[in-house]
């Protein structure tokens, strides 16, 4: 702890390491909220990144996985209660990344020579190149400002850091290669004629993302667990409050590669949109588009299967009779998250492709596990009903007597009959959107199961999100309620 305090108390050197004008350091100036400035271009050490500031805790905004989306609004910040060991630190100036345009970067008088469509095409190509540069800077920062200092200061073990950061190191040279190729293809006037052949040659390298994305569920679970350690929490909080982080937490940086991966189809579609039909690059761009959609769909499928295995391994059975072959055979986790029953008990519900499992979250051997609360419900026999606000009665006479309208909102009911016995659950979601997502997920799971029974080939197409389908899903946090939509 003394070493950490010493690092964070270091004062800036006389010569500023940021990119500033001679004699003027922009690090000490407050930028307007509407203007975005370029971040630190190089990260040499933790001491050079973190200024001597003292601050109150800042709010965190959750990040996401593409396959798993949460029912919490992604624009609603989460209030984080200050830890007893937390240090009061003053708010710091946040370094924001400058959003560059091709027309602003290369002011060489080409505007009057190019058509509006060609200018838009150049802007799209430049956005692809600039995004690679931003990604490389963020991945390098995650390594040098988070992983290396935590290893050097023994805040986490090397094994734990390898689990959390996964194969992130291997992604940096991969994107440096693409950035180098794009820059070589750029002419002296700043314009680029062809990028399709570059992408067709480079895109197969993205298969490296299979291992990284499949590890993210386990990585985030371990990171959340390690945050309970006051040294880890204090270090990450200091980084969050420092300018270099741009108010993004560590998980945000670890999730950036996944975000970049699912953005490639959108970027290619934009370039293709403004490429004339007679342009020789158009054929290669079509080929690249098909390649990236196939790669993203494959990674998406493998990530989903990895997530499904992760949670199946953490299910605890009170008795052998609770084990169900439908759970063991499931390869897809359609959705999962926390719901309350009509007595206010918090339950963690999993909807696998063929079975609904109601559990209670418990900690066993310092790991979060899920103990089965009721017998699993086959999706085939599952019935569901949307309940109107105020329709449900809360359990217990005293609870019911003092209940208010807010406590009877956002309920839905699931039920199934087995051997003449009716099993029924009334679940309360966080809000109306949360409830609707659950109902949609249940409906889609039943439709996908119906497709399986009627047409196995259709079922194969319905088993997961494609790149286009996943792009329509809301982007929210995996830390609470998560949903993986089923393609129909």
């Amino acid at each position: 702890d003394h070493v950490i305090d010493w690092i964070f108390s270091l004062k800036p050197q006389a010569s500023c390491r940021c990119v500033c004008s001679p004699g003027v350091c922009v690090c000490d100036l407050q930028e307007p909220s509407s203007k975005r400035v370029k971040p630190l271009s190089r990260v040499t050490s933790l001491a050079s990144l973190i200024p001597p500031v003292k601050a109150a805790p800042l709010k965190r905004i959750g990040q996401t996985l593409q396959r798993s989306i949460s029912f919490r609004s992604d624009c609603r910040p989460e209030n984080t209660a200050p830890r007893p060991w937390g240090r009061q630190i003053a708010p710091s100036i946040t370094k924001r990344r400058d959003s560059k345009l091709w027309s602003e970067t290369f002011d060489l008088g080409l505007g009057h020579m190019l058509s509006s469509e060609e200018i838009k095409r150049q802007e799209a190509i430049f956005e692809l190149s600039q995004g690679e540069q931003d990604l490389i800077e963020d991945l390098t920062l995650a390594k040098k400002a988070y992983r290396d200092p935590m290893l050097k200061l023994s805040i986490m073990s090397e094994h734990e850091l390898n689990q959390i950061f996964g194969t992130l190191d291997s992604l940096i040279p991969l994107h440096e290669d693409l950035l180098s190729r794009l820059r070589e293809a750029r002419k002296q006037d700043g314009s680029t004629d062809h990028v399709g052949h570059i992408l067709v040659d480079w895109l197969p390298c993205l298969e490296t993302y299979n291992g990284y994305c499949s590890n993210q569920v386990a990585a985030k679970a371990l990171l959340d667990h390690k945050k309970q350690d006051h040294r880890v929490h204090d270090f990450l909080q200091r980084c969050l409050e420092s300018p270099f982080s741009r108010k993004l937490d560590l998980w945000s940086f670890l999730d950036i590669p996944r975000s970049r991966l699912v953005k490639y189809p959108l970027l290619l579609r934009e370039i293709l949109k403004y490429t004339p039909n007679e342009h020789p690059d158009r054929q290669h761009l079509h080929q690249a588009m098909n390649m990236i959609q196939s790669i993203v769909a494959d990674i998406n499928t493998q990530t989903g299967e990895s997530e499904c295995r992760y949670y199946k391994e953490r299910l605890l059975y009170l008795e052998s009779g609770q084990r169900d072959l439908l759970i063991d055979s499931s390869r897809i986790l359609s959705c999962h998250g926390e719901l309350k029953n009509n007595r206010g008990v918090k339950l963690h519900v999993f909807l696998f492709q063929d079975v609904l499992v109601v559990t209670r979250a418990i900690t066993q051997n310092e790991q979060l596990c899920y103990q089965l609360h009721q017998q699993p419900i086959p999706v085939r026999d599952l019935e569901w009903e949307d309940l109107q606000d105020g329709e449900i009665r809360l359990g217990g006479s005293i609870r019911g007597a003092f209940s208010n309208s807010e406590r009877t909102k956002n309920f839905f009911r699931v039920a199934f009959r087995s051997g003449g016995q009716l099993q029924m659950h009334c679940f309360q979601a966080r809000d109306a959107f949360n409830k609707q997502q659950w109902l949609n997920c249940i409906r889609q799971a039943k439709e996908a199961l119906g497709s399986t029974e009627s047409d196995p080939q259709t079922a194969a197409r319905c088993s997961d999100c494609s790149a286009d389908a996943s792009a329509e899903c809301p982007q929210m946090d995996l830390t609470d309620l998560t949903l993986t939509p089923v393609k129909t």
Side-chain angles (χ1 to χ4, degrees):
D1 290 343
H2 294 298
V3 176
I4 298 176
D5 292 338
W6 173 78
I7 289 179
F8 282 90
S9 66
L10 289 176
K11 296 184 178 297
Q13 301 298 320
S15 58
C16 179
R17 297 188 179 186
C18 61
V19 183
C20 304
S21 301
V24 180
C25 179
V26 298
C27 301
D28 298 327
L29 302 179
Q30 177 66 48
E31 291 290 337
S33 58
S34 61
K35 184 178 180 180
R36 311 184 76 184
V37 299
K38 190 173 182 178
L40 299 178
S41 57
R42 297 184 60 188
V43 179
T44 55
S45 69
L46 187 64
S48 67
L49 288 172
I50 304 176
V53 292
K54 300 184 177 181
L58 298 176
K59 295 180 180 179
R60 292 174 49 237
I61 299 179
Q63 299 298 311
T64 74
L65 285 173
Q66 179 67 35
R67 275 196 45 80
S68 301
I69 64 173
S70 121
F71 301 152
R72 185 194 317 160
S73 172
D74 57 352
C75 61
R76 184 187 312 158
E78 176 185 354
N79 291 328
T80 305
R83 303 295 180 100
W85 57 78
R87 172 172 310 200
Q88 298 300 313
I89 305 179
S92 59
I93 299 174
T94 301
K95 300 296 181 184
R96 297 190 180 276
R97 176 168 284 145
D98 185 18
S99 298
K100 291 184 178 180
L101 296 176
W102 174 81
S103 55
E104 296 174 350
T105 306
F106 301 98
D107 186 13
L108 303 176
L110 288 178
H112 66 282
M113 301 172 56
L114 302 177
S115 65
S116 59
E117 292 291 304
E118 181 60 24
I119 292 177
K120 291 178 181 178
R121 181 174 181 271
Q122 294 300 324
E123 293 286 8
I125 295 174
F126 183 72
E127 182 181 357
L128 172 64
S129 176
Q130 187 64 30
E132 292 300 302
Q133 180 176 332
D134 293 343
L135 175 62
I136 294 168
E137 290 178 0
D138 285 337
L139 297 185
T140 303
L141 188 145
K143 179 180 184 299
K144 292 189 176 182
Y146 288 92
R147 189 189 187 283
D148 293 352
M150 284 193 286
L151 178 61
K152 186 174 183 179
L153 298 174
S154 300
I155 294 177
M156 284 197 221
S157 68
E158 184 174 5
H159 177 68
E160 291 170 335
L161 290 170
N162 288 340
Q163 284 185 297
I164 292 174
F165 285 80
T167 58
L168 182 140
D169 280 356
S170 67
L171 303 182
I172 298 176
L174 186 152
H175 291 280
E176 287 177 337
D177 178 40
L178 177 58
L179 179 60
S180 175
R181 297 189 192 191
L182 292 174
R183 286 178 172 173
E184 289 177 0
R186 185 182 299 160
K187 298 188 298 185
Q188 291 185 352
D189 60 11
S191 64
T192 303
D193 290 334
H194 304 85
V195 294
H197 67 289
I198 295 176
L199 294 170
V200 169
D201 184 53
W202 178 82
L203 284 174
C205 300
L206 289 179
E207 292 181 359
T208 306
Y209 270 76
N210 268 319
Y212 185 83
C213 293
S214 296
N215 180 63
Q216 281 197 295
V217 175
K220 191 173 193 311
L222 177 59
L223 178 61
D224 289 342
H225 173 70
K226 293 301 296 183
K227 287 179 182 178
Q228 301 176 25
D229 184 331
H230 74 91
R231 296 188 71 210
V232 175
H233 174 269
D234 190 48
F235 179 88
L236 295 180
Q237 187 67 21
R238 290 169 182 265
C239 290
L240 180 64
E241 292 156 354
S242 299
F244 73 86
S245 73
R246 309 196 304 276
K247 294 187 178 180
L248 300 177
D249 60 11
L250 173 56
W251 180 251
S252 300
F253 286 100
L254 296 178
D255 191 53
I256 283 175
R258 191 276 319 159
S259 301
R260 182 64 178 173
L261 178 67
V262 299
K263 192 175 181 181
Y264 282 123
L266 304 178
L267 292 169
L268 265 65
R269 187 178 293 115
E270 191 72 6
I271 298 173
L272 191 58
K273 177 180 177 181
Y274 297 110
T275 300
N277 293 331
E278 65 278 7
H279 198 290
D281 203 27
R282 191 170 180 86
Q283 182 178 356
H284 284 118
L285 287 173
H286 275 296
Q287 185 180 352
M289 174 65 76
N290 293 333
M291 291 176 63
I292 188 59
Q293 288 180 336
S294 176
I295 291 171
V296 170
D298 183 57
I299 295 176
N300 195 36
T301 298
Q302 295 192 38
T303 302
E305 292 177 356
S306 174
E307 179 186 12
C308 186
R309 288 193 302 270
Y310 175 84
Y311 285 110
K312 286 198 301 183
E313 292 171 356
R314 280 153 183 78
L315 293 179
L316 299 178
Y317 302 91
L318 294 176
E319 54 188 36
S320 59
Q322 289 181 322
R323 292 186 174 274
D324 195 305
L325 292 177
L326 292 177
I327 298 178
D328 296 335
S329 61
S330 292
R331 297 175 57 200
I332 298 172
L333 178 59
S334 299
C335 61
H336 73 96
E338 186 180 277
L339 296 169
K340 293 181 181 179
N341 63 14
N342 61 328
R343 294 183 177 274
V345 177
K346 292 182 178 180
L347 302 171
H348 200 98
V349 182
F350 295 89
L351 179 60
F352 295 96
Q353 65 190 74
D354 295 324
V355 62
L356 181 78
V357 182
V358 183
T359 71
R360 286 182 178 177
I362 64 172
T363 301
Q364 185 178 79
N365 298 326
E366 297 187 351
Q367 281 192 340
L368 185 62
C369 299
Y370 304 91
Q371 188 178 78
L372 263 68
H373 181 61
Q374 296 287 347
Q375 192 67 22
I377 304 174
V379 170
R380 179 184 297 102
D381 304 323
L382 179 65
E383 300 296 333
W384 57 274
E385 180 184 4
D386 185 2
L387 301 178
Q388 299 297 318
D389 292 345
E391 182 176 347
I392 191 70
R393 293 188 61 183
L394 300 180
S397 58
I398 296 179
R399 183 188 297 270
F402 292 96
S403 65
N404 53 46
S405 59
E406 290 296 325
R407 296 178 57 192
T408 60
K409 285 184 176 181
N410 308 315
F411 272 91
F412 65 95
R413 179 187 292 128
V414 298
F416 89 110
R417 190 176 297 276
S418 176
Q421 294 184 345
L422 180 67
Q423 183 179 152
M424 183 180 301
H425 299 280
C426 293
F427 294 125
Q428 184 181 31
R430 181 184 299 273
D431 50 38
F433 176 73
N434 183 313
K435 179 178 76 169
Q436 192 58 49
Q437 291 294 303
W438 271 104
L439 296 178
N440 290 342
C441 190
I442 294 172
R443 174 182 57 80
Q444 292 172 357
K446 290 184 68 68
E447 290 176 356
L449 187 61
S451 300
T452 304
E453 296 173 347
S454 60
D455 184 357
Q457 291 183 353
T458 302
R461 294 194 300 269
C462 294
S463 63
D464 225 331
C465 284
S466 69
D468 291 337
S470 60
E472 298 174 357
C473 301
Q475 300 296 298
M476 299 176 228
D477 187 13
L478 182 65
T479 58
D480 195 9
L481 303 179
T482 57
L483 167 69
T484 304
V486 180
K487 179 183 175 185
T488 57

